[in-house]
Amino acid sequence: MSSLSGIRVVELAGLAPGPFAGLMLSDYGASVLRIDRVTPPATPSPDVLVRGKSSIKLDLKSAAGRRVLLRLLRDGGVDVLIDPFRPGVLEKLGLDPYNVLLKTNPRLIVARLTGFRRDGKYATMAGHDINYLAVSGVLAMLGPTDTNSHNDEDDDDAAPEASRGTRRRPLPPSPPGNLLADFAGGGHMCVTGILMALIHRSRTGKGQIVEANMVDGVSYLATAPRLSQKIPGQWDRPRGENLVDGGCPYYNVYECKEPGTYMSVAALEPQFFAALCRGLQLRLNEDGESSEWGGRREDRQTWPRLKAVLRERFRSKTRKEWEDIFDGTDACCLPVLSHQELEASGYQQRAAVALSYSPPREPAGGGWEIRTLAPGEGGETLLRDWAGWRQGRDYEIEHGGGVVLRSTANL
């Protein structure tokens, strides 16, 4: 039995972070019912985060549609409702979480997930992942350092900047896809709040409102680097010049002989750096210094030259050759693999966390299969299992697929 077996979740259909929260709950055993609109809105891409979910269609703008939802929350023993809408949407629908939803089902946990803070200056504005990163302070930390106007391929890369007579120009931050705010700071943090609320309910019997937003979520993820900005040697330098953001030569990515193939290097500790140098056939003296770059690796004055040495050395062999050299070592030097390569190699995707006594559902097809969930698919089974409802006796399916309760339903 999975950890969340028996937990019933209603997921109001939305984009990435809300469905991801529902997916995580489903993967760990929860029964998840997605509420789709009768007339779905245009979306950039289909929802593929549907493992283990079912769907019904409701017109929540109608009194009949809202009646179905409220009766289901009460009579279906629903534990969690995921609200992915902008602030004020549920209230305008007459579904105020405090005055309507919790009064309908006092044990209900209403998880509200927004992009911006509900009480901040951006609360009423639309946004996407890059916007949430931008106003959280995190986007400013991501991407390459200032670059010099000379060609990075030049052999004089390690020469002092002043001797080249070049000037530096800032590069814009680099958005990391929509992973950080949408999925990590948004959906994952929302699930964390839901689990804490479930623990609280197990002690008190009371449901509550979980307020999550992607700005606060991703800001929380950045707690360590934010505080470390005030510690010399950690994150106190401009973007791309710090220890683990691309500034350090031995925490970086290097291209191999074949263009577009790379090795990742994270040899921060002295013993790991020594193993890296052995694999690269770079000699170190007893103090960890090398004439190749003229000083100790911790001395930032040596970093330009050291980076040039590593760049040149990695370009001397193919990625496969470097893999063979570093496999089984503690050099912290591994290939940069694509999802396509992983799938072709037979790599099996797994649930995020393994539990010995309450295992999660493992993704079908090794986690590579694409599946979507059609609006209305499988939902009638959950209506019967949760609330004992049957079509024709308790509800009907209107033209367009929306569920409405029969006026004679004994509910």
Side-chain angles (χ1 to χ4, degrees), residues 113-172:
L113 179 56
T114 58
F116 301 109
R117 291 178 173 180
R118 291 180 177 272
D119 57 353
K121 64 178 291 188
Y122 307 109
T124 62
M125 296 172 60
H128 281 296
D129 187 288
I130 191 173
N131 307 125
Y132 312 137
L133 289 179
V135 300
S136 71
V138 173
L139 185 59
M141 302 174 63
L142 305 177
T145 185
D146 295 353
T147 188
N148 294 302
S149 59
H150 78 293
N151 188 337
D152 282 344
E153 303 297 323
D154 292 346
D155 291 335
D156 66 345
D157 181 70
E161 182 176 324
S163 68
R164 294 195 303 266
T166 59
R167 65 182 181 86
R168 300 168 71 83
R169 64 178 179 86
L171 291 176

Side-chain angles (χ1 to χ4, degrees), residues 231-287:
I231 301 174
Q234 295 292 317
W235 287 82
D236 59 325
R237 291 175 176 262
R239 168 170 42 89
E241 296 182 15
N242 297 286
L243 192 64
V244 294
D245 69 352
C248 176
Y250 41 92
Y251 194 98
N252 223 304
V253 175
Y254 293 95
E255 190 174 40
C256 303
K257 189 174 184 178
E258 301 162 301
T261 62
Y262 305 91
M263 294 292 288
S264 66
V265 173
L268 292 174
E269 291 79 3
Q271 66 274 26
F272 300 156
F273 183 73
L276 175 70
C277 289
R278 284 195 296 272
L280 295 173
Q281 295 186 337
L282 296 172
R283 293 185 177 181
L284 297 176
N285 63 23
E286 293 180 356
D287 295 325

